[in-house]
Amino acid sequence: AIRSHGDIRLSINPQTFHRKTLEAIGRRHTTEDVVRCYRDARELGFSNINMDLIVGLPGETAADVEMTMRQVEALNPDNLTVHSLAIKRSSRLHEMIAENAVRYENDLAANGDAIMRIVHEGAKEMGMAPYYLYRQKNIGGNLENVGFARPHKEGLYNVLIIEEAQDIAALGAGAACKRLVRDESGIPLPKAKIKRCENVKNVEQYIARIDEMIERKRRLFGL
């Protein structure tokens, strides 16, 4: 259905190619799932595929990141977005650390530069260059998140969402819509002037209340 609407940028996000890490952070997919989805997308004709990775995950070293990058290179996506781990208060990892009184340490503080060098060199091998960068609170090793892309494959949405310079009509459970409040000439007002509406996170509730979700969007965008 998505492919029928044009050559759309698609994200298939492994985060890591280590199964034990995925299990530790509560991700339900497997590395085999990622490979299968990626190959299916290529067969359907998607020519602009992004992959997200997270460096600094529990127990992972620079060598583990190197192995993940080799797996990514074998698949050969068009975009690569690399996030340095920032533990959010609402995340399962944060809850696990708090519940078990565990002191979480990752490899970014000691080897962050080496890890990011592996990422940059791997992206370069795939013909990609960095095109956007941003930082966030509690990020590991005082590093950053970087987006890489082949020429003409840059994800403009990534830049716009970080700058909060674009209206967003989001679909799916847990998705958040945003509307920039503009002045009479159509120019967006400061970031504080952003209106939002969020879809419920539970999938069954989202399906059951789909008319309500649609009405929320209509009110937000004045339709």
Side-chain angles (χ1 to χ4, degrees), residues 43 45-47 62 92 96 124 130 141 203:
E43 288 178 7
F46 284 95
S47 62
R92 178 180 171 183
M96 182 180 69
K124 186 176 180 180
V203 175

Side-chain angles (χ1 to χ4, degrees), residues 54-56 83-89 91 93 106 108 136-140 145:
I54 302 175
V55 296
H83 301 267
S84 299
L85 180 67
I87 302 178
K88 298 181 179 180
R89 286 183 295 177
S91 69
L93 182 56
N106 61 37
L108 294 182
Q136 60 195 107
K137 293 180 180 179
N138 304 321
I139 201 163
N145 305 319

Side-chain angles (χ1 to χ4, degrees), residues 21 46-47 64 76-77 102-103 108 111 118 128 153 158 164 175 177 180 205 213 215 222:
T21 306
F46 284 95
S47 62
D64 294 318
N76 203 26
V102 175
R103 182 178 177 183
L108 294 182
N111 295 307
I118 290 168
M128 300 181 191
K153 298 290 186 177
N158 285 332
E164 294 195 314
C177 297
L180 279 63
Q205 283 292 310
M213 302 299 106
E215 184 57 32

Side-chain angles (χ1 to χ4, degrees), residues 118-168:
I118 290 168
V119 167
H120 278 262
E121 290 176 356
K124 186 176 180 180
E125 286 291 321
M126 291 185 284
M128 300 181 191
Y131 71 98
Y132 89 106
L133 175 152
Y134 74 100
R135 304 180 76 188
Q136 60 195 107
K137 293 180 180 179
N138 304 321
I139 201 163
N142 200 31
L143 294 173
E144 61 274 328
N145 305 319
V146 186
F148 302 88
R150 291 199 172 94
H152 311 298
K153 298 290 186 177
E154 296 85 357
L156 180 60
Y157 172 79
N158 285 332
V159 178
L160 294 174
I161 195 172
I162 295 303
E163 295 294 328
E164 294 195 314
Q166 176 71 47
D167 293 339
I168 298 172

Side-chain angles (χ1 to χ4, degrees), residues 18 61-71 73 114 118 121:
H18 293 273
T61 65
D64 294 318
V65 175
E66 178 85 38
M67 191 281 275
T68 286
M69 285 301 300
R70 298 292 83 79
Q71 297 289 325
E73 290 170 19
I118 290 168
E121 290 176 356

Side-chain angles (χ1 to χ4, degrees), residues 9 12 17 19 21 42 49 62 72 98 100 105 110 137 145 152 175 179 181 185-186 190 204 219:
R9 181 178 184 269
I12 300 172
F17 273 93
R19 176 173 289 187
T21 306
R42 287 300 196 200
I49 299 180
V72 172
N100 297 284
E105 296 181 359
K137 293 180 180 179
N145 305 319
H152 311 298
R179 181 174 73 84
V181 179
S185 65
E204 292 180 353
R219 290 198 302 268

